[in-house]
Amino acid sequence: QLACPLDLGCHSVYAQKTRMALDVRQSEIWRESMRKEKRHADNWKIQYGKEVAEMEKKLLLASMKREQQQGLSRMTTSEKDMLYTGVSREGEGRAAYLKYQRSKSPRKFPTQ
Protein backbone atom coordinates (compact mmCIF):
# COMPACT_ATOMS: atom_id res chain seq x y z
CA GLN A 1 0.00 0.00 0.00
CA LEU A 2 1.29 3.46 -0.84
CA ALA A 3 2.00 5.77 2.04
CA CYS A 4 0.53 9.21 2.03
CA PRO A 5 3.33 11.77 1.57
CA LEU A 6 1.67 14.20 3.96
CA ASP A 7 0.88 11.46 6.50
CA LEU A 8 -2.77 12.55 6.72
CA GLY A 9 -4.13 9.04 7.34
CA CYS A 10 -6.16 6.68 5.21
CA HIS A 11 -8.97 9.18 4.58
CA SER A 12 -6.79 11.66 2.76
CA VAL A 13 -7.58 12.70 -0.78
CA TYR A 14 -4.26 11.20 -1.93
CA ALA A 15 -5.12 7.77 -0.50
CA GLN A 16 -8.61 7.87 -1.97
CA LYS A 17 -7.31 8.78 -5.46
CA THR A 18 -4.64 6.08 -5.29
CA ARG A 19 -7.21 3.48 -4.27
CA MET A 20 -9.55 4.66 -7.03
CA ALA A 21 -6.77 4.42 -9.64
CA LEU A 22 -6.01 0.86 -8.57
CA ASP A 23 -9.71 -0.03 -8.72
CA VAL A 24 -10.01 1.39 -12.24
CA ARG A 25 -6.87 -0.47 -13.37
CA GLN A 26 -8.07 -3.74 -11.85
CA SER A 27 -11.47 -3.21 -13.42
CA GLU A 28 -9.92 -2.70 -16.86
CA ILE A 29 -7.77 -5.82 -16.45
CA TRP A 30 -10.88 -7.80 -15.49
CA ARG A 31 -12.84 -6.44 -18.46
CA GLU A 32 -10.04 -7.32 -20.87
CA SER A 33 -9.78 -10.88 -19.54
CA MET A 34 -13.58 -11.25 -19.89
CA ARG A 35 -13.39 -10.00 -23.49
CA LYS A 36 -10.65 -12.53 -24.29
CA GLU A 37 -12.60 -15.35 -22.67
CA LYS A 38 -15.73 -14.45 -24.63
CA ARG A 39 -13.74 -14.26 -27.87
CA HIS A 40 -12.27 -17.73 -27.26
CA ALA A 41 -15.72 -19.13 -26.40
CA ASP A 42 -17.21 -17.63 -29.57
CA ASN A 43 -14.39 -19.07 -31.70
CA TRP A 44 -14.91 -22.49 -30.10
CA LYS A 45 -18.65 -22.35 -30.80
CA ILE A 46 -18.01 -21.43 -34.43
CA GLN A 47 -15.54 -24.28 -34.83
CA TYR A 48 -17.22 -27.05 -32.80
CA GLY A 49 -20.69 -25.83 -31.83
CA LYS A 50 -22.80 -27.56 -34.49
CA GLU A 51 -21.04 -30.90 -34.08
CA VAL A 52 -21.42 -30.84 -30.31
CA ALA A 53 -25.08 -29.81 -30.47
CA GLU A 54 -25.88 -32.62 -32.91
CA MET A 55 -23.99 -35.16 -30.81
CA GLU A 56 -25.77 -34.04 -27.62
CA LYS A 57 -29.14 -34.28 -29.37
CA LYS A 58 -28.41 -37.82 -30.60
CA LEU A 59 -27.24 -38.93 -27.16
CA LEU A 60 -30.28 -37.40 -25.46
CA LEU A 61 -32.72 -39.05 -27.86
CA ALA A 62 -31.00 -42.44 -27.52
CA SER A 63 -31.01 -42.14 -23.74
CA MET A 64 -34.69 -41.18 -23.63
CA LYS A 65 -35.63 -44.05 -25.94
CA ARG A 66 -33.62 -46.56 -23.88
CA GLU A 67 -35.16 -45.34 -20.60
CA GLN A 68 -38.65 -45.54 -22.04
CA GLN A 69 -38.11 -49.07 -23.33
CA GLN A 70 -36.60 -50.26 -20.06
CA GLY A 71 -39.31 -48.64 -17.98
CA LEU A 72 -42.20 -50.10 -19.97
CA SER A 73 -40.62 -53.53 -20.29
CA ARG A 74 -40.42 -53.84 -16.48
CA MET A 75 -44.14 -53.20 -16.11
CA THR A 76 -46.60 -56.05 -16.11
CA THR A 77 -49.80 -55.87 -18.16
CA SER A 78 -51.91 -55.29 -15.05
CA GLU A 79 -49.64 -52.40 -13.99
CA LYS A 80 -49.95 -50.81 -17.43
CA ASP A 81 -53.73 -51.16 -17.31
CA MET A 82 -53.80 -49.67 -13.84
CA LEU A 83 -51.66 -46.74 -14.96
CA TYR A 84 -53.65 -45.87 -18.05
CA THR A 85 -57.17 -46.53 -16.74
CA GLY A 86 -59.09 -43.92 -14.79
CA VAL A 87 -58.44 -40.47 -13.36
CA SER A 88 -56.01 -39.72 -10.53
CA ARG A 89 -58.50 -37.39 -8.88
CA GLU A 90 -60.78 -40.36 -8.30
CA GLY A 91 -57.94 -42.54 -6.98
CA GLU A 92 -57.48 -44.38 -10.26
CA GLY A 93 -54.86 -44.17 -13.00
CA ARG A 94 -51.53 -42.77 -11.88
CA ALA A 95 -52.66 -42.39 -8.26
CA ALA A 96 -53.62 -46.06 -8.06
CA TYR A 97 -50.40 -47.13 -9.76
CA LEU A 98 -48.24 -45.11 -7.33
CA LYS A 99 -50.17 -46.45 -4.33
CA TYR A 100 -49.60 -49.98 -5.62
CA GLN A 101 -45.87 -49.29 -6.14
CA ARG A 102 -45.51 -47.98 -2.57
CA SER A 103 -47.03 -51.16 -1.20
CA LYS A 104 -44.48 -53.34 -3.00
CA SER A 105 -41.01 -53.96 -1.61
CA PRO A 106 -38.20 -51.99 -3.25
CA ARG A 107 -36.52 -53.65 -6.18
CA LYS A 108 -33.05 -53.25 -7.55
CA PHE A 109 -32.68 -51.81 -11.02
CA PRO A 110 -29.92 -53.05 -13.29
CA THR A 111 -27.03 -50.65 -13.61
CA GLN A 112 -25.06 -50.32 -16.80
Side-chain angles (χ1 to χ4, degrees), residues 2 4 18 25 34 42 45 49 51 66 77 82-83 91 96 98-99 109-110:
L2 297 173
C4 180
T18 305
R25 186 178 305 153
M34 298 309 309
D42 290 343
K45 283 181 185 177
E51 296 171 19
R66 184 173 48 250
T77 307
M82 184 185 309
L83 183 61
L98 292 174
K99 185 176 180 180
F109 292 102

Side-chain angles (χ1 to χ4, degrees), residues 72 74-83:
L72 291 178
R74 286 191 286 245
M75 293 174 68
T76 63
T77 307
S78 63
E79 289 174 336
K80 287 180 187 176
D81 291 340
M82 184 185 309
L83 183 61

Side-chain angles (χ1 to χ4, degrees), residues 27 31 85 91 110:
S27 178
R31 281 191 194 111
T85 305

Side-chain angles (χ1 to χ4, degrees), residues 60-79:
L60 180 63
L61 290 173
S63 174
M64 289 172 56
K65 186 176 180 181
R66 184 173 48 250
E67 285 178 9
Q68 186 180 25
Q69 288 173 346
Q70 288 175 350
L72 291 178
S73 66
R74 286 191 286 245
M75 293 174 68
T76 63
T77 307
S78 63
E79 289 174 336

